Amino acid sequence: MSDAFLRDALVGLTAAPKTLPGKYLWDETGSDLFDRICHSADYYPTAQEMTLLPRAAAEVACHVGSGVTVVEFGSGASRKIRTLLDALPAPAAYVAIDISGPYLEAAIRRLAPDYPGIAMVPVCADYSKPVTLPIQAGPGGILGFYPGTSIGNFDPREAGQFLERARTTLGPSLFLVGADGTTDPERLQRAYGAADGLMAAFHRNILTRLNRECGADFDGDNFRHEIRLLPDPFRVEAHLVAIRPGTYRLGGQTIGFAASESIRTDTSHKYTAEAFQALARDAGWRPRALWQAEGGSFNLHLFQAED
């Protein structure tokens, strides 16, 4: 991971404007911080999703047979999967895909004792690239699961490419996907720029990773966290903004910052239900069901792979 991390970081930090790939936010510390963010009052997507998920899971259970294999992309702490596993008829296996190996292994260790009849299969992988499942589908087929707002971390073109790759990974299957359509500036500011400091710590942790894993010397205290709302397509961008000018070393190169110069560390695109379904159709998925939170802000979509 460190070689790829260093290579990607150098490409992003020597570009103009500076960027770092959001996938590197997700080490064990970052995953733990985001789990805490999901429990905060201001981070609305998790609360809305957990209101919808029990109803969606009960209806999804009517579409799958006994012995289904559930494949979760970006499994994190594997908390939401419990609602789905509890609703499904005798699942055969749970395949958890996540980029953070230690966090993934710990999550599976916590989950497995509560589901002794379900095979637990952790897969440490970057799902923004092709992933091959290490097991055959159970007798009930495959159900993909991509909860939260993670699809928004891809721009529309990349999201379409992910959905195409997921169709290849999952084969003939159903796919339950979360997508957020919120555009209210005040709500977004509270969720992504919360005053409790957790989101700021989550993003600054990527500099700590560069120092620890790639021998860099970034001063995290010289960077403040800032979010920006941008149109066409509508999205929330997270930035680390240099407070003072600074020069840092990374991989034998010098990375200079002017005061107020920023690094974009993540992006969350917002999709209306109609826009996201159109994107999925183009990637070979047919809409089967839709569950919507208040005003259609957060949506859970059930898709079926086209023949």
Side-chain angles (χ1 to χ4, degrees):
M1 174 66 79
S2 293
D3 289 345
F5 187 18
L6 175 60
R7 182 174 59 252
D8 291 347
L10 284 171
V11 169
L13 292 176
T14 55
K18 293 179 171 65
T19 64
L20 284 170
K23 64 185 178 182
Y24 294 116
L25 294 166
W26 301 97
D27 66 344
E28 190 170 5
T29 299
S31 297
D32 180 65
L33 282 165
F34 193 75
D35 189 45
R36 293 168 61 191
I37 288 166
C38 288
H39 287 83
S40 67
D42 287 323
Y43 195 73
Y44 68 88
T46 300
Q48 290 191 347
E49 183 175 36
M50 293 311 294
T51 298
L52 295 176
L53 189 56
R55 177 160 56 94
E59 294 184 37
V60 169
C62 298
H63 294 279
V64 302
S66 178
V68 69
T69 294
V70 183
V71 179
E72 183 175 10
F73 296 87
S75 56
S78 294
R79 296 189 192 281
K80 297 173 186 177
I81 196 64
R82 290 176 179 270
T83 302
L84 198 53
L85 294 179
D86 289 344
L88 297 175
Y94 168 51
V95 180
I97 304 172
D98 200 90
I99 197 170
S100 176
Y103 198 73
L104 173 64
E105 295 286 351
I108 291 297
R109 284 196 300 271
R110 289 191 299 268
L111 186 70
D114 295 333
Y115 298 93
I118 302 176
M120 297 283 162
V121 185
V123 177
C124 182
D126 176 3
Y127 63 79
S128 68
K129 300 175 181 177
V131 177
T132 300
L133 298 183
I135 63 170
Q136 297 296 314
I142 290 181
L143 171 64
F145 186 41
Y146 192 31
T149 61
S150 295
I151 191 72
N153 298 143
F154 300 112
D155 67 32
R157 179 184 61 83
E158 293 168 337
Q161 291 172 344
F162 165 76
L163 290 169
E164 290 175 355
R165 286 193 301 270
R167 193 187 181 294
T168 299
T169 295
L170 299 173
S173 60
L174 295 172
F175 196 13
L176 184 62
V177 186
D180 186 35
T182 302
T183 57
D184 178 61
E186 184 178 343
R187 171 174 270 185
L188 292 170
Q189 182 65 49
R190 289 198 309 269
Y192 291 90
D196 60 14
L198 288 175
M199 195 66 84
F202 173 63
H203 286 276
R204 273 199 294 264
N205 180 59
I206 201 168
L207 300 180
T208 302
R209 282 197 71 186
L210 282 169
N211 291 348
R212 181 181 66 248
E213 299 178 29
C214 301
D217 61 355
F218 287 98
D219 176 9
D221 292 335
N222 189 39
F223 291 86
R224 60 180 175 83
H225 174 247
E226 176 181 293
I227 69 163
R228 301 172 185 175
L229 275 56
L230 299 169
D232 303 323
F234 189 86
R235 62 200 186 275
V236 181
E237 288 188 355
H239 289 254
L240 293 174
V241 183
I243 300 168
R244 302 173 302 278
T247 301
Y248 307 100
R249 299 291 296 172
L250 174 65
Q253 296 194 39
T254 299
I255 311 294
F257 286 83
S260 299
E261 187 176 7
S262 74
I263 311 166
R264 188 184 75 237
T265 52
D266 205 16
T267 307
S268 183
H269 290 80
K270 304 303 176 183
Y271 295 97
T272 65
E274 296 77 14
F276 190 67
Q277 288 184 346
L279 191 69
R281 282 193 187 95
D282 289 342
W285 294 98
R286 176 165 57 89
R288 288 288 301 272
L290 171 66
W291 299 270
Q292 295 187 285
E294 39 156 312
S297 53
F298 183 87
N299 305 296
L300 277 172
H301 299 263
L302 182 65
F303 297 110
Q304 183 170 8
E306 296 280 14
D307 295 333

